[in-house]
């Protein structure tokens, strides 16, 4: 069992807090990968902490199993509600990026199922399939452990994970290493700033797509933009503030990205997904809520969980 602790270690509230803080990176990592939202994942982890305080911890054989199960089930419930909410989302929905350069809570575990492009593909699985895949591939839980967490049979869990793998294999493209990804992103931004359509087209695959997450924000494309010429043209004119933009490199979800500032205010996050054939997906996040969450993720690891009744 991963990071296991004994029941006696979690007897008092101070001991319970120590156990929880030790496991929190794992719990946040599970919730974030299932939900694609750092804000929702943080809410799930906080609720798990409140349940951990109320639990009869003297009877808990494995705190990591108890906390992982609670996190997974809550995340599935939130994901089911989120699916309904996203049906009314205006325009493309993209996962909420997190700053993995300074947020060890999401980056501390294995990098699997962390990149934005894969999180987007994971959204096509139902919440239970997504949770089973994440627990197996990103956190290496045994099938028996996953079955207990999801309250399913061992055989059923194996089928779910196998089905998820096949679905993702059909949807997902191979990806380049982090160094090549950074080079392609930097070349793309440079060409877009210069308005160099030819250079942009040379970087893009023929079936490239541009996705803009603004939830109805004025001036933001509300449908995916498809094809090399259209994506190249859009990227030079959108956003229209390239000449005045302050482009700062960031590290998001284990990959390079940029945060674009205008008049000193962060307005846009952008990154790409690429294979050896070139950039196939350009992702723009304009949603002020998601931009704020990204900037807030730099301080998440320093925040202590709230105790019951804490109104901070």
């Amino acid at each position: 069992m991963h990071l296991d602790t004994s029941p006696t270690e979690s007897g008092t509230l101070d001991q319970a807090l120590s156990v929880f803080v030790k496991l929190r990176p794992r719990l946040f990592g599970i919730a974030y990968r299932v939900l694609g939202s750092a804000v929702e994942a943080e809410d799930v982890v906080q609720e798990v902490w409140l349940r951990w305080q109320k639990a009869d911890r003297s009877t808990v054989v494995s705190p990591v199993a108890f906390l992982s199960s609670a996190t997974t089930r809550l995340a599935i419930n939130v994901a089911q509600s989120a699916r309904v909410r996203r049906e009314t989302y205006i325009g493309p929905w993209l996962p909420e990026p997190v700053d993995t350069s300074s947020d060890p809570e999401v980056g501390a575990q294995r990098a699997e199922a962390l990149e934005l492009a894969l999180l987007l593909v994971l959204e096509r699985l139902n919440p239970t399939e997504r949770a089973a895949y994440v627990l197996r591939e990103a956190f290496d839980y045994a099938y028996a452990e996953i079955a207990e967490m999801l309250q399913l049979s061992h055989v059923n869990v194996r089928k779910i994970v196998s089905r998820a793998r096949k679905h993702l294999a059909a949807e997902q493209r191979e990806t380049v290493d982090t160094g090549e990804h950074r080079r392609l992103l930097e070349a793309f931004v440079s060409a877009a700033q210069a308005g160099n359509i030819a250079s942009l087209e040379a970087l893009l695959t023929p079936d490239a797509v541009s996705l803009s997450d603004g939830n109805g924000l004025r001036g933001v494309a509300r449908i995916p933009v498809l094809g090399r010429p259209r994506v190249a043209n859009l990227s030079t004119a959108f956003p229209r503030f390239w000449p005045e933009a302050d482009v700062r490199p960031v590290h998001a979800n284990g990959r390079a990205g940029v945060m674009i500032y205008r008049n000193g205010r962060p307005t846009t996050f952008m990154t790409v997904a690429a294979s050896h054939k070139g950039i196939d997906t350009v992702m723009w996040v304009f949603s002020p809520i998601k931009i704020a969450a990204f900037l807030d993720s730099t301080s998440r690891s320093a925040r202590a969980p709230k105790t019951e009744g804490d109104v901070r």
Side-chain angles (χ1 to χ4, degrees):
M1 178 64 73
H2 308 280
L3 301 175
D4 218 344
T5 51
S6 67
T8 56
E9 289 179 326
S10 50
T12 70
L13 188 57
D14 284 345
Q15 291 167 337
L17 177 61
S18 176
V19 169
F20 186 84
V21 169
K22 181 179 179 182
L23 296 173
R24 183 171 174 169
R26 171 178 294 258
L27 306 181
F28 181 85
I30 291 170
Y32 174 71
R33 285 166 171 83
V34 172
L35 294 167
S37 167
V39 172
E40 290 175 345
E42 186 68 28
D43 288 344
V44 165
V45 172
Q46 179 62 26
E47 176 61 27
V48 171
W49 162 239
L50 295 178
R51 293 188 181 192
W52 182 232
Q53 291 180 74
K54 296 175 183 178
D56 182 0
R57 295 181 297 275
S58 65
T59 65
V60 176
V61 176
S62 170
V64 65
F66 177 95
L67 292 168
S68 296
S69 295
T71 299
T72 301
R73 291 171 190 167
L74 278 170
I76 288 173
N77 290 339
V78 173
Q80 289 168 339
S81 299
R83 290 185 76 149
V84 175
R85 293 196 305 273
R86 287 168 194 167
E87 289 177 0
T88 61
Y89 201 84
I90 302 173
W93 178 91
L94 290 173
E96 193 177 281
V98 290
D99 185 347
T100 44
S101 67
S102 56
D103 186 354
E105 295 226 352
V106 72
Q109 305 297 333
R110 296 171 61 185
E112 280 80 356
L114 182 59
E115 292 179 36
L116 283 182
L118 179 54
L119 287 176
L120 186 59
V121 176
L122 279 174
E123 280 288 315
R124 299 173 190 174
L125 303 177
N126 70 49
T128 299
E129 289 174 328
R130 202 181 315 155
Y133 178 86
V134 164
L135 290 169
R136 181 62 182 168
E137 297 299 316
F139 294 91
D140 201 29
Y141 281 96
Y143 286 109
E145 294 173 303
I146 300 171
E148 185 174 350
M149 290 183 200
L150 301 181
Q151 298 181 326
L152 298 171
S153 71
H154 184 283
V155 172
N156 199 8
V157 167
R158 280 188 174 273
K159 289 180 179 178
I160 288 172
V161 173
S162 176
R163 188 163 59 242
R165 284 174 178 157
K166 290 176 181 177
H167 183 88
L168 293 176
E171 296 280 349
Q172 190 185 4
R173 305 187 187 212
E174 62 177 296
T175 187
V176 294
D177 62 32
T178 55
E180 177 64 5
H181 179 271
R182 182 181 296 105
R183 185 194 72 78
L184 287 168
L185 175 66
E186 291 173 351
F188 182 92
V189 171
S190 178
Q193 287 179 298
N196 191 330
I197 298 293
S199 293
L200 283 171
E201 289 193 2
L203 292 167
L204 296 165
T205 60
D207 60 348
V209 58
S210 177
L211 302 171
S212 302
D213 182 325
N215 195 18
L217 200 65
R218 184 178 178 182
V220 176
R222 298 189 178 187
I223 60 172
V225 175
L226 306 173
R228 177 187 281 156
R230 295 186 67 196
V231 172
N233 277 284
L234 178 71
S235 300
T236 59
F238 173 62
R240 297 182 182 281
F241 50 67
W242 276 125
E244 302 174 9
D246 175 14
V247 182
R248 305 180 190 179
V250 294
H251 195 265
N253 296 67
R255 291 273 169 162
V258 295
M259 185 66 73
I260 302 171
Y261 288 71
R262 192 178 188 189
N263 298 323
R265 184 172 63 90
T267 61
T268 313
F269 167 84
M270 194 271 281
T271 191
V272 301
S275 69
H276 69 280
K277 295 180 180 179
I279 295 171
D280 52 69
T281 310
V282 183
M283 292 169 279
W284 309 82
V285 176
F286 294 91
S287 166
I289 294 174
K290 292 184 178 182
I291 296 295
F294 177 84
L295 297 174
D296 186 57
S297 68
T298 62
S299 61
R300 177 179 302 108
S301 60
R303 293 196 294 269
K306 300 175 185 177
T307 56
E308 186 178 3
D310 193 340
V311 295
R312 289 177 295 167

